[in-house]
Amino acid sequence: MVQARDGGPGPLRPLSDAFEPEDVPLLEACCAQLEGKTERQKNPHPKGSLARAAWVCARLGGWTGYYGKPGPIVMLEGWLEFQAMKRGAKLMIPGGDL
């Protein structure tokens, strides 16, 4: 996940490598809520990339965008938070189609 987290060398991996297509609306809603006012607190990655989703997970895990890169524990906590949000959103939608 280093490449996704860093946006590192090489082509960007697609979001579909780790997320379902129905996760996109929730990821984008989270991204909009998590972006701050400064450039360092804005998601620099293109929509549809795994790097963008990794940024969202990092922010959900408590990373501020300052003081270095998020580590594996922060990434895991953010991913688990996203999964909890996804389960909650499914409860709110009739039929659970999210």
Side-chain angles (χ1 to χ4, degrees):
M1 190 168 232
V2 171
Q3 181 184 359
R5 179 189 67 192
D6 296 341
L12 290 175
R13 302 298 306 240
L15 183 63
S16 60
D17 280 0
F19 291 86
E20 300 295 326
E22 59 268 11
D23 294 343
V24 174
L26 182 58
L27 274 168
E28 290 303 320
C30 288
C31 187
Q33 288 290 315
L34 293 167
E35 285 187 323
K37 294 182 181 184
T38 68
E39 280 303 310
R40 291 191 78 173
Q41 290 183 329
K42 295 202 182 298
N43 192 332
H45 306 290
K47 289 184 179 182
S49 69
L50 188 56
R52 187 172 182 87
W55 184 94
V56 170
C57 288
R59 292 285 283 143
L60 287 172
W63 180 63
T64 63
Y66 297 98
Y67 312 113
K69 297 174 183 169
I73 294 172
V74 169
M75 297 299 289
L76 175 61
E77 288 176 358
W79 184 80
L80 292 172
E81 179 70 16
F82 178 78
Q83 295 303 313
M85 293 171 77
K86 183 176 166 181
R87 285 190 303 275
K90 282 184 178 182
L91 291 173
M92 302 298 292
I93 296 174
D97 294 333
L98 175 68

mmCIF file of all heavy atoms in Angstrom, residues 1-2 5 57-58 61 63 69-80:
data_model
loop_
_atom_site.group_PDB
_atom_site.id
_atom_site.type_symbol
_atom_site.label_atom_id
_atom_site.label_comp_id
_atom_site.label_asym_id
_atom_site.label_seq_id
_atom_site.Cartn_x
_atom_site.Cartn_y
_atom_site.Cartn_z
ATOM 1 N N MET A 1 0.827 -1.190 0.000
ATOM 2 C CA MET A 1 0.000 0.000 0.000
ATOM 3 C C MET A 1 0.869 1.251 0.000
ATOM 4 O O MET A 1 0.367 2.347 -0.057
ATOM 5 C CB MET A 1 -0.947 -0.022 1.185
ATOM 6 C CG MET A 1 -1.999 1.055 1.116
ATOM 7 S SD MET A 1 -3.280 0.795 2.334
ATOM 8 C CE MET A 1 -4.693 0.889 1.303
ATOM 9 N N VAL A 2 2.183 1.089 0.046
ATOM 10 C CA VAL A 2 3.067 2.246 0.049
ATOM 11 C C VAL A 2 2.846 3.087 -1.198
ATOM 12 O O VAL A 2 2.731 4.295 -1.118
ATOM 13 C CB VAL A 2 4.545 1.811 0.171
ATOM 14 C CG1 VAL A 2 5.462 2.973 -0.053
ATOM 15 C CG2 VAL A 2 4.789 1.184 1.524
ATOM 16 N N ARG A 5 -0.378 4.910 -0.858
ATOM 17 C CA ARG A 5 -0.288 5.948 0.166
ATOM 18 C C ARG A 5 0.538 7.120 -0.324
ATOM 19 O O ARG A 5 0.198 8.265 -0.103
ATOM 20 C CB ARG A 5 0.325 5.352 1.431
ATOM 21 C CG ARG A 5 0.490 6.369 2.546
ATOM 22 C CD ARG A 5 1.287 5.828 3.689
ATOM 23 N NE ARG A 5 2.657 5.620 3.255
ATOM 24 C CZ ARG A 5 3.557 4.947 3.938
ATOM 25 N NH1 ARG A 5 3.238 4.382 5.067
ATOM 26 N NH2 ARG A 5 4.777 4.809 3.495
ATOM 27 N N CYS A 57 -8.566 6.847 3.961
ATOM 28 C CA CYS A 57 -8.360 5.935 5.092
ATOM 29 C C CYS A 57 -7.377 6.519 6.103
ATOM 30 O O CYS A 57 -7.586 6.412 7.318
ATOM 31 C CB CYS A 57 -7.878 4.568 4.604
ATOM 32 S SG CYS A 57 -9.169 3.614 3.780
ATOM 33 N N ALA A 58 -6.328 7.138 5.613
ATOM 34 C CA ALA A 58 -5.344 7.755 6.511
ATOM 35 C C ALA A 58 -5.987 8.850 7.353
ATOM 36 O O ALA A 58 -5.781 8.930 8.567
ATOM 37 C CB ALA A 58 -4.169 8.305 5.711
ATOM 38 N N GLY A 61 -8.183 7.473 9.930
ATOM 39 C CA GLY A 61 -7.377 6.868 10.989
ATOM 40 C C GLY A 61 -6.705 7.877 11.899
ATOM 41 O O GLY A 61 -6.028 7.509 12.850
ATOM 42 N N TRP A 63 -4.712 10.679 10.745
ATOM 43 C CA TRP A 63 -3.596 11.412 10.143
ATOM 44 C C TRP A 63 -4.067 12.812 9.767
ATOM 45 O O TRP A 63 -5.160 12.991 9.242
ATOM 46 C CB TRP A 63 -3.103 10.654 8.918
ATOM 47 C CG TRP A 63 -1.960 11.271 8.193
ATOM 48 C CD1 TRP A 63 -0.707 11.497 8.660
ATOM 49 C CD2 TRP A 63 -1.965 11.719 6.833
ATOM 50 N NE1 TRP A 63 0.073 12.045 7.683
ATOM 51 C CE2 TRP A 63 -0.679 12.197 6.551
ATOM 52 C CE3 TRP A 63 -2.944 11.755 5.839
ATOM 53 C CZ2 TRP A 63 -0.338 12.714 5.307
ATOM 54 C CZ3 TRP A 63 -2.597 12.261 4.604
ATOM 55 C CH2 TRP A 63 -1.308 12.734 4.352
ATOM 56 N N LYS A 69 4.320 10.688 6.984
ATOM 57 C CA LYS A 69 3.339 9.836 6.319
ATOM 58 C C LYS A 69 2.623 8.965 7.337
ATOM 59 O O LYS A 69 3.185 8.618 8.367
ATOM 60 C CB LYS A 69 4.051 8.958 5.296
ATOM 61 C CG LYS A 69 4.701 9.767 4.204
ATOM 62 C CD LYS A 69 5.524 8.896 3.296
ATOM 63 C CE LYS A 69 6.221 9.771 2.272
ATOM 64 N NZ LYS A 69 7.214 9.035 1.528
ATOM 65 N N PRO A 70 1.379 8.584 7.034
ATOM 66 C CA PRO A 70 0.666 7.698 7.961
ATOM 67 C C PRO A 70 1.269 6.303 7.946
ATOM 68 O O PRO A 70 1.688 5.810 6.907
ATOM 69 C CB PRO A 70 -0.758 7.692 7.408
ATOM 70 C CG PRO A 70 -0.598 8.006 5.955
ATOM 71 C CD PRO A 70 0.582 8.920 5.859
ATOM 72 N N GLY A 71 1.302 5.680 9.093
ATOM 73 C CA GLY A 71 1.836 4.330 9.203
ATOM 74 C C GLY A 71 0.759 3.271 9.047
ATOM 75 O O GLY A 71 -0.415 3.590 8.853
ATOM 76 N N PRO A 72 1.167 2.021 9.145
ATOM 77 C CA PRO A 72 0.215 0.926 8.926
ATOM 78 C C PRO A 72 -0.912 0.875 9.948
ATOM 79 O O PRO A 72 -2.034 0.509 9.611
ATOM 80 C CB PRO A 72 1.085 -0.335 8.982
ATOM 81 C CG PRO A 72 2.329 0.070 9.660
ATOM 82 C CD PRO A 72 2.519 1.533 9.389
ATOM 83 N N ILE A 73 -0.657 1.254 11.191
ATOM 84 C CA ILE A 73 -1.716 1.225 12.206
ATOM 85 C C ILE A 73 -2.757 2.289 11.907
ATOM 86 O O ILE A 73 -3.965 2.035 11.977
ATOM 87 C CB ILE A 73 -1.129 1.369 13.624
ATOM 88 C CG1 ILE A 73 -0.283 0.141 13.950
ATOM 89 C CG2 ILE A 73 -2.229 1.576 14.655
ATOM 90 C CD1 ILE A 73 0.495 0.233 15.236
ATOM 91 N N VAL A 74 -2.315 3.474 11.535
ATOM 92 C CA VAL A 74 -3.238 4.549 11.162
ATOM 93 C C VAL A 74 -4.060 4.137 9.946
ATOM 94 O O VAL A 74 -5.283 4.342 9.902
ATOM 95 C CB VAL A 74 -2.469 5.862 10.896
ATOM 96 C CG1 VAL A 74 -3.357 6.913 10.247
ATOM 97 C CG2 VAL A 74 -1.876 6.393 12.186
ATOM 98 N N MET A 75 -3.411 3.531 8.964
ATOM 99 C CA MET A 75 -4.116 3.090 7.760
ATOM 100 C C MET A 75 -5.157 2.026 8.095
ATOM 101 O O MET A 75 -6.288 2.074 7.607
ATOM 102 C CB MET A 75 -3.130 2.559 6.718
ATOM 103 C CG MET A 75 -2.140 3.588 6.210
ATOM 104 S SD MET A 75 -2.899 4.992 5.388
ATOM 105 C CE MET A 75 -3.474 4.235 3.898
ATOM 106 N N LEU A 76 -4.789 1.074 8.944
ATOM 107 C CA LEU A 76 -5.721 0.026 9.349
ATOM 108 C C LEU A 76 -6.905 0.613 10.108
ATOM 109 O O LEU A 76 -8.064 0.271 9.838
ATOM 110 C CB LEU A 76 -5.028 -1.038 10.200
ATOM 111 C CG LEU A 76 -5.946 -2.118 10.775
ATOM 112 C CD1 LEU A 76 -6.629 -2.908 9.665
ATOM 113 C CD2 LEU A 76 -5.175 -3.029 11.710
ATOM 114 N N GLU A 77 -6.629 1.509 11.051
ATOM 115 C CA GLU A 77 -7.716 2.121 11.815
ATOM 116 C C GLU A 77 -8.661 2.893 10.889
ATOM 117 O O GLU A 77 -9.876 2.856 11.070
ATOM 118 C CB GLU A 77 -7.158 3.028 12.904
ATOM 119 C CG GLU A 77 -6.519 2.247 14.035
ATOM 120 C CD GLU A 77 -5.865 3.137 15.079
ATOM 121 O OE1 GLU A 77 -5.855 4.369 14.926
ATOM 122 O OE2 GLU A 77 -5.360 2.570 16.064
ATOM 123 N N GLY A 78 -8.117 3.576 9.913
ATOM 124 C CA GLY A 78 -8.942 4.306 8.961
ATOM 125 C C GLY A 78 -9.772 3.376 8.088
ATOM 126 O O GLY A 78 -10.947 3.650 7.825
ATOM 127 N N TRP A 79 -9.167 2.282 7.647
ATOM 128 C CA TRP A 79 -9.904 1.321 6.829
ATOM 129 C C TRP A 79 -11.034 0.693 7.640
ATOM 130 O O TRP A 79 -12.150 0.546 7.143
ATOM 131 C CB TRP A 79 -8.955 0.245 6.293
ATOM 132 C CG TRP A 79 -9.636 -0.711 5.371
ATOM 133 C CD1 TRP A 79 -9.926 -0.523 4.058
ATOM 134 C CD2 TRP A 79 -10.146 -2.007 5.713
ATOM 135 N NE1 TRP A 79 -10.570 -1.625 3.561
ATOM 136 C CE2 TRP A 79 -10.723 -2.547 4.545
ATOM 137 C CE3 TRP A 79 -10.154 -2.749 6.886
ATOM 138 C CZ2 TRP A 79 -11.306 -3.804 4.525
ATOM 139 C CZ3 TRP A 79 -10.743 -4.007 6.869
ATOM 140 C CH2 TRP A 79 -11.312 -4.517 5.698
ATOM 141 N N LEU A 80 -10.757 0.367 8.906
ATOM 142 C CA LEU A 80 -11.795 -0.202 9.766
ATOM 143 C C LEU A 80 -12.914 0.817 10.002
ATOM 144 O O LEU A 80 -14.096 0.446 10.030
ATOM 145 C CB LEU A 80 -11.196 -0.670 11.095
ATOM 146 C CG LEU A 80 -10.263 -1.882 11.006
ATOM 147 C CD1 LEU A 80 -9.581 -2.129 12.348
ATOM 148 C CD2 LEU A 80 -11.007 -3.110 10.526
#
